[in-house]
Amino acid sequence: MRTVKEVSELTGVSIRALHHYDAIGLLKPTKVTRAGYRLYDDKALRRLQTILLFRELQFSLKQIKAILDDPNFDPAQALCQQIKMLELQYKRIGELIDLARRIRSKGVDVMNFDAFDTKEIRAHKAEVMEKWGNTKAYQQYEQKNVSVNKQSELATSLMLKFVELGKLKHLAPKQTEVQVKIKALQQFITDNYYECTPEILSSLGEMYVNDERFRQNIDKAGGKGTAEFVNQAILVYCSY
């Protein structure tokens, strides 16, 4: 058994991220001691390795959890798919390097956008989600069949929610004005993505602070500390 600190040192995953994985049910410790210490066995480490491979392939934590929790999930098949996607990424990176070198040698007027095409990678990602990621929330999102342009509009609208919340950081998370904004955030997600239950909203709040990309984007929209503020406000909202 390894402690959370030992797992963090071994894998490079922060202790905070491991705590978050536990909170959302993505990677539960094998055992929790009476003193509250999380312990992980080899089976848990193998699951973490699978998680990290999917993260390298740009799967979200929600998608990874849906895949791993599917009763039909086959680690061997998943590894084959991961290898294929990594090979495609390797090929794409090589093409990007070649393009950059051609531009350097022939001048900035060289234009070729083939290397930026991620169609094949996205197709394989969709295949993985179709095979193992069919949770209710994911199915609801897929059924909306949102266009690329609409996705961009929704992302912008979602960021505006964080801009509004960022302006309220001087208030306590439990203040009515803040809680009204959190309710609006929950409704926005339900209306445009999937039913945002209190459990899902709580998990999203944790993700906003523990996933570095989310934290950076939210703090960029609403100002430093917005992600943490939103998470605290969500915790209050979901405790009612």
Side-chain angles (χ1 to χ4, degrees):
M1 292 278 199
R2 297 176 188 266
T3 65
V4 68
K5 181 179 179 181
E6 290 171 335
V7 172
S8 177
E9 292 174 348
L10 175 68
T11 64
V13 179
S14 70
I15 292 175
R16 184 171 187 170
L18 290 170
H19 286 177
H20 175 54
Y21 290 177
D22 181 9
I24 65 175
L26 178 60
L27 179 70
K28 305 295 290 185
T30 307
K31 179 181 179 181
V32 179
T33 68
R34 289 185 177 180
Y37 293 109
R38 295 171 172 85
L39 299 176
Y40 299 83
D41 62 8
D42 287 345
K43 182 179 179 180
L45 289 178
R46 284 193 292 270
R47 182 176 171 100
L48 178 57
Q49 181 172 260
T50 301
I51 291 169
L52 295 179
L53 277 171
F54 276 122
R55 289 295 282 157
E56 287 295 325
L57 294 167
Q58 304 301 309
F59 283 79
S60 69
L61 295 181
K62 181 180 67 178
Q63 289 173 324
I64 297 170
K65 186 177 186 302
I67 292 169
L68 299 187
D69 289 349
D70 190 300
N72 296 316
F73 177 70
D74 185 329
Q77 288 187 27
L79 183 59
C80 290
Q81 290 178 314
Q82 288 170 331
I83 290 171
K84 178 62 177 179
M85 293 176 70
L86 287 167
E87 288 174 342
L88 289 171
Q89 283 195 354
Y90 178 76
K91 175 186 174 185
R92 180 169 178 264
I93 290 172
E95 291 171 347
L96 287 170
I97 292 172
D98 289 342
L99 174 60
R101 285 173 174 165
R102 288 201 303 275
I103 294 172
R104 183 180 64 181
S105 63
K106 297 183 179 180
V108 295
D109 289 335
V110 173
M111 284 191 290
N112 186 330
F113 296 96
D114 292 343
F116 298 99
D117 186 2
T118 60
K119 186 188 304 179
E120 194 171 3
I121 295 174
R122 285 186 281 113
H124 279 275
K125 186 173 181 179
E127 182 181 334
V128 172
M129 290 309 303
E130 181 180 357
K131 185 173 182 61
W132 288 308
N134 288 319
T135 62
K136 179 181 178 182
Y138 187 79
Q139 288 173 354
Q140 289 175 348
Y141 176 65
E142 287 296 291
Q143 287 168 1
K144 290 182 182 294
N145 195 26
V146 180
S147 67
V148 174
N149 288 338
K150 184 63 175 178
Q151 287 178 19
S152 178
E153 291 176 11
L154 290 176
T156 300
S157 297
L158 180 59
M159 284 299 111
L160 288 176
K161 298 293 181 187
F162 295 121
V163 171
E164 294 172 359
L165 281 159
K167 294 176 180 177
L168 303 179
K169 291 199 299 291
H170 62 286
L171 300 176
K174 66 180 180 180
Q175 289 289 323
T176 300
E177 189 175 354
V178 177
Q179 291 299 299
V180 167
K181 295 294 185 184
I182 295 299
K183 183 177 182 180
L185 173 65
Q186 181 187 33
Q187 191 61 50
F188 178 86
I189 294 170
T190 294
D191 290 343
N192 296 287
Y193 294 98
Y194 42 76
E195 182 183 359
C196 187
T197 64
E199 292 77 14
I200 289 177
L201 183 62
S202 179
S203 294
L204 288 173
E206 289 286 336
M207 184 172 65
Y208 293 157
V209 292
N210 289 295
D211 188 302
E212 194 59 32
R213 290 173 297 177
F214 275 97
R215 175 189 280 273
Q216 289 178 359
N217 288 333
I218 292 171
D219 283 358
K220 183 178 180 181
K224 187 175 181 180
T226 299
E228 183 64 44
F229 176 73
V230 171
N231 181 42
Q232 292 302 316
I234 287 174
L235 288 175
V236 173
Y237 181 83
C238 291
S239 67
Y240 290 152

